[in-house]
Amino acid sequence: MNRQVLLSIALLNHYCVFGQVSYSIPEEMSRGSLVGNIAQDLGLDMRRLVSGKAKIYTRNSGEYVELNREKGFLLVKERIDRESLCPETVLCALDVQIVLENPMEFYSVTIQIADINDNAPTFEKSEMKFKISESAITGAKFVLQRAMDLDEGINDVKNYELKPTDHFALKLNHDANGYKNVEMVLQKPLDREKHERISLVLTAVDGGEPVMSGTMLIFITVLDANDNAPVFTQPTYKAVVTENSPLGTVIATVSASDADQGSNGKITYSITNTFDNVRKVFEVNYENGEVILIGDIDFEKYRHFQINILASDDGGLTDSCKLIVDVQDVNDNKPEIIIMSKSTVVSEDAKFNTVVTMINIEDLDSEEKGNVKCFIGENLPFILKQSTSNFYSLVTDSELDRETASHYNITVTCSDEGVPSLSSSVTLTLQISDVNDNAPVFERSSYEAFIVENNTPGLSIFTVKARDADWNQNARVSYILEDSSVNGVPVSSYVSVSADSGVIHAVRSFDYEQIKDFHFRVKAQDGGSPPLSSNVTVKVLIQDQNDNPPQVLYPVQTGGSMVAEMVPRSADVGYLVTKVVAVDVDSGQNAWLSYKLQKATDRALFEVGLQNGEIRTIRGVTDKDAVKQRLAVIVEDNGQPSRSATVIVNVAVADSFPEVLSEFTDYTQDKEYNDNLTFYLVLALAVVSFLFITCLVVIISVKIYRWRQSRVLYHSNLPVIPYYPPRYSDTLGTGTLQHVYNYEVCRTNDSRKSDCKFGTVGSQNVLIIDPSSTGTMQRMQSEKNILDEPDSPLEQKPPNNDWRFTQGPRPGPSGATGGPEVAMGTGPWPQPPTEAEQLQALMAAANAVGEATATLGPGTMGLSTRYSPQFTLQHVPDYRQNVYIPGSTATLTSNPQQQQATAQQAAQQALPPPQQQQQVQSEPPKAAQTPASKKKSTKKEKK
């Protein structure tokens, strides 16, 4: 097998390669025969044939060959008959294209089909009959039917043989087209009387291997003399016919003449063509020689016709001529658009010159009528590039944006240059796939949201909205609260953002007085890969509510003392007694305050300024006016609903301090102080009783739990280290805490097991204060060890510093100082003042001028005037014995004998440090003052 390979490669663009290879094979090869190694000849890797989905594209050639992708072989698929494939051409070739994808490539393959001697010469008719006059002269010619061989070249008809050769011989003439015209020449005159009928055999032999032949019988009837044969006016006629001409069109007229007379001069015409379509397309009028169109003429099938016409008379003489008919082309074929390969989806980030579709264009017309130009619509991001004469590639010409156009309907129109021009079109639908190239965009550049304070946690505040121009998952937006802080607190403790809807919820209840506004950032992130995001600032403004009542700054309201403003009896109308000063922490109209006089001992004497809170007299003071005046001033804000506060202003109508001393002294000492003391003692007793019962229940529960756990946990053999808690005692007679339990705890080093002992009630549960440490802290540590848990309910809190008296405000004689125990709040209280000391303090207070208010301790009362000296009356009943301190297990006592007795009793259990023993023993005994003695002293002072 002769195989010729020709490669021609042209780079069309980044993704398309064109190449050409040629093969030559004989016809009639069996199915599966090898045509050529296409992978090797084209220089392709066989894996490329598989990955590129290589396929064979043929046009009007049938599926004669197939491609084996795995081996890269081009094989014969169907039997190839050259005579059927190329009936009109000598050179027969099969054109196929091999197309690959990803990237797109195509190659042209030309397969030359070589002829073999598979057809014997044949005659159209198996016999011919002649009538020859006996008068026919020697050398007369008789045209015989030419044999046809479908093979070409050397396999075509090579020679003719005529047997017998007594009267006739063969003569072969070659015409301009290379055909052999066979004529039978009379060599010897005929004698009807001797041979009325002659039979001959004409044999046609080809030049192939092996030699093949065909025969035809010739029967000759000898007639009487007809010595003139018909003669055509010209040996060759020419005519032109337009394709698609209507049937019945006269193409041409041939004419012949005969010199004979009668029947020997009557000429008839006939067409002698064999083995072609001439007789199907043309016919000749046997009488007048007109050649008429009887079939369709298609220039694309037959461009030339040669008609052989025979003229014969009744005497059997003949003559022949040729009619050459040229078919004229008309523009009757539209361009044919064939989609070789296409992509229905292209990514929007495709690069320039990306091949989308490959198109093959065919127009069967000739010359300019077959010249085709293709184009697409304007304003499209695609262009058509012509790779070869009949192939176009649709490639990208600019950037694609799915958000602008998600798909394109591209109409490809192809027109020829004929007159009139014919065109055809095809529409390609191309979808643009999305890539994540757009970040979410918020509807606003920033947001402001308002929320009223005291809101419910979880309340929806505002909704942020962002849109993403991408599609599907790339457009799915999630909202994220960015990490930041507001006043040092994470913003996530203020607000939260719904990831799907963007709804902002309040996490806590806001207080306008603490925070008025804050801002944070919300990030919108899409679901692409990689994700894109954008953020926006949200500012939340807290709106005020009227949730705070007015607060009175002056006059100062104290629980155990009373401040009075003094008005002289000589005061005139409009005299400024004092001014009520109040503020409201709210804002706006919620902070607008108004002052009103709610109650008064004498409403006709005083009035309050509505806006400024000034208390003035509305008439002159007379001697009939009571010395003690009590005014109740209500302060209201302007909120809805409004809130108010009430302040009590005590006014003393007198010219000197001694006039009102007894009035205010009785009031403060007998009524207010006793009532308040009783209330607080009852409240303290209830709280301590509740805490005691709670601690007892918890301790018992823990003990039971530890006892049950000891059955499961391992047993420890570690030595027991004793631990002694501080001593407790109860001061009898106070009624504050009747029984204080003393717990003695013994624990091992193993934290898994502990053993608690509950002791009996001590006879004297008086707390001995250790100078080096506080009993309260020891109590805390002791109970913490008992429970062995940091969150035990029995844990005691340290005493508040408010229970410790400093030297300045400490009750007692003027200038009296205490020892370190008094300064630290751990020693006994000082002795109550004597009557001489009280009188001395009264005279010192009367001489003090210019002080507006005085800081008074519990159980004291003070009187002051706005524009007169301030004085202080101290009458302090001594209720310092047996005082129970809330938040502590210590009970303060001033009985040193009980302390010493308790210390001696405790020494038997555990010896304290030497320093503690010295301090306890060196404490001098002091006389204890009982509440009864306090009451007697108070009555004496009143007298």
Side-chain angles (χ1 to χ4, degrees), residues 258-299:
D258 194 328
D260 292 330
Q261 296 293 328
S263 61
N264 293 329
K266 187 179 179 180
I267 301 174
T268 58
Y269 301 92
S270 63
I271 297 176
T272 62
N273 290 69
T274 58
F275 296 101
D276 54 19
N277 294 328
V278 173
R279 291 185 178 182
K280 296 180 181 180
V281 180
F282 305 98
E283 72 175 2
V284 63
N285 190 319
Y286 69 95
E287 292 181 351
N288 56 20
E290 291 181 350
V291 179
I292 304 171
L293 185 64
I294 63 173
D296 296 331
I297 295 180
D298 191 355
F299 174 82

Side-chain angles (χ1 to χ4, degrees), residues 661-680:
L661 181 60
S662 60
E663 291 287 339
F664 285 95
T665 302
D666 294 340
Y667 176 80
T668 55
Q669 292 299 122
D670 293 336
K671 183 178 181 180
E672 292 184 1
Y673 182 80
N674 292 333
D675 292 343
N676 293 336
L677 180 61
T678 303
F679 171 75
Y680 287 122

Side-chain angles (χ1 to χ4, degrees), residues 36-99:
N37 190 339
I38 193 69
Q40 179 180 354
D41 297 335
L42 292 176
L44 298 175
D45 189 2
M46 285 182 288
R47 290 177 295 181
R48 174 68 181 116
L49 296 177
V50 176
S51 63
K53 300 180 181 178
K55 60 183 179 179
I56 293 179
Y57 167 77
T58 61
R59 182 181 180 276
N60 298 333
S61 299
E63 296 182 354
Y64 292 104
V65 294
E66 63 181 357
L67 178 64
N68 189 329
R69 297 178 184 172
E70 288 74 18
K71 297 181 179 181
F73 293 156
L74 194 63
L75 306 176
V76 176
K77 185 177 182 181
E78 296 291 341
R79 185 182 67 86
I80 303 175
D81 186 5
R82 191 198 68 81
E83 288 75 21
S84 299
L85 185 62
C86 307
E88 297 296 329
T89 59
V90 176
L91 297 176
C92 183
L94 181 62
D95 295 327
V96 297
Q97 285 78 33
I98 297 179
V99 181

